[in-house]
Every structure is written in C-alpha cells, then in structure tokens.
C-alpha cells in the first residue's frame, strides 16, 4: 500500500483566517514533504521533514508553518495568506530522508483558494 | 544546482501509437530519475524510476532509458490508450541531501 491521505480536499479561506492542512501516511516512511503546485506547473518543494525534524525549508514565507507531530502525520498551518497562495498543496512521503534516493509518493492534494 | 529540461511540452498521439518524452539534466552527480503521471484533479503518481547504475527499465507498456554520458533520460509508452492521457513529469535527484528537481511537464493526449 502506497497511500498518502490529505484533508481537506478543498479549502476556501479569507486572508485573515487561520486554517490547517493535514497529511497522513501509514507506510512507515520517515521523510515527509510539502509541495505547492500552481496550474500547469510542476510541484515546488516547500518543506521536508526527515525523522520528524525539519531538514529543508525552501525559503517559504512565515505565513506557512509546518509541523510534524509524529512519523505518520504532517500538518501545514496557514495564517494571513494572500490570493497568490491559492494552489494545490501536495504532501509526499518516502521511506528514508533526503540522504538516499527512495521513491517519493504523493497524496491527492488540497485545493486551496484564498479570497 | 540541478536543472531539468523536458520536451515536448505537449504530445498528441493516436491510440495504439508509441509516445516518447525526453528529459535532460545538468548535474552529473544526479543518481535517481523518477517519472510521475498526474491526472486532472489528482496528485502525481510514480509510474517508473531508474537509478544511475541502470541503463533501461521496463514495466509492461512503460520503459525508461538513461544515458549518463549525454545526461538525458526518456520515457517510452507503447500501445497508448486513452487512459494514458495526463501530464507527465520527469525529475532528477542530485547529490545526497538534495530534493527532487522536476521538469516542466508534458501534456500527453491519446485520441481514440
């Protein structure tokens, strides 16, 4: 089973709201990722957690705050977003951290609209 | 850092034909090359990958070839079917500790 689940599937939020995206995997993977994907573009890496520690932060604005409560869960907390943050937010996981080339599996994404 | 170029950006074929998508990479230290298929409204799905110590890998109608000297790799889909219609992304991983770098994607349309 190579399933990564994400909730919610769709989210509409105002610029003053606070919301969270959730990602879960039960494959025993120890690396988890957040990507942002705009229409007709490839995924852009935002954050990487390896063994529940933040290992890569691709200069993402502080209005995006990741959290990894345990090895199976990954959250992305959103606050004071801008309309240009509207995108598909993808979670992914891989067996090990970024030190090895293990397969990376994506979830279905959360379609975020900021109004 | 690594840079991945993908061609063509769009590809239209008739059902039953073959489709080939090509990618080039810049970092000679890159050692892992996955291909993802993304259908409308879904997340990318890993369909095949290849490591730098292998020249070719096949899985049913899908194959990937790697030319390390020329720094390019290709996805080959034979006997295409309408359900193969999707956006395909190639990617490369460079040195240890770095993330996947994606190509810009190829929109494949298979008409019946």
């Amino acid at each position: 089973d190579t399933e990564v689940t994400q909730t919610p599937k769709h989210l509409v939020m105002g610029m003053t709201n606070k919301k969270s995206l959730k990602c879960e995997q039960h494959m025993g993977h120890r690396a988890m990722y957040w990507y942002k994907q705009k229409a007709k573009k490839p995924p852009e890496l935002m954050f990487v957690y390896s063994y529940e520690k933040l290992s890569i932060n691709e200069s993402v604005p502080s209005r995006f705050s990741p959290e990894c409560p345990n090895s199976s869960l990954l959250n992305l907390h959103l606050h004071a977003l801008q309309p240009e943050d509207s995108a598909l937010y993808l979670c992914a996981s891989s067996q090990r951290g970024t030190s090895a080339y293990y397969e990376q599996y994506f979830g279905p994404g959360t379609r975020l609209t900021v109004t | 850092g690594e840079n991945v170029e993908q061609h063509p950006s769009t590809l239209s074929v008739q059902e039953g034909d073959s489709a080939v998508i090509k990618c080039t990479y810049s970092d000679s230290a890159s050692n892992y090359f996955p291909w993802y298929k993304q259908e409308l409204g879904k997340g990318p799905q890993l369909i095949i990958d290849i490591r730098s110590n292998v020249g070719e890998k096949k899985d049913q109608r899908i194959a990937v070839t790697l030319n390390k000297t020329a720094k390019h790799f290709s996805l080959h889909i034979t006997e295409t079917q309408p359900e193969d219609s999707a956006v395909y992304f190639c990617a490369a991983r460079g040195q240890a500790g770095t993330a996947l770098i994606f190509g810009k994607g190829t929109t494949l349309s298979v008409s019946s």
Side-chain angles (χ1 to χ4, degrees), chain A residues 47-91:
Chain A
F47 303 104
V48 181
Y49 274 83
S50 181
Y51 294 90
E52 295 123 69
K53 293 187 178 172
L54 185 64
S55 64
I56 294 179
N57 176 342
E58 293 286 357
S59 302
V60 179
S62 60
R63 57 186 185 268
F64 295 92
S65 176
E67 178 196 20
C68 189
N70 60 54
S71 60
S72 300
L73 285 174
L74 185 67
N75 298 320
L76 185 63
H77 303 297
L78 314 172
H79 173 55
L81 294 193
Q82 304 296 311
E84 58 264 29
D85 296 321
S86 298
L88 181 68
Y89 287 83
L90 295 161
C91 174

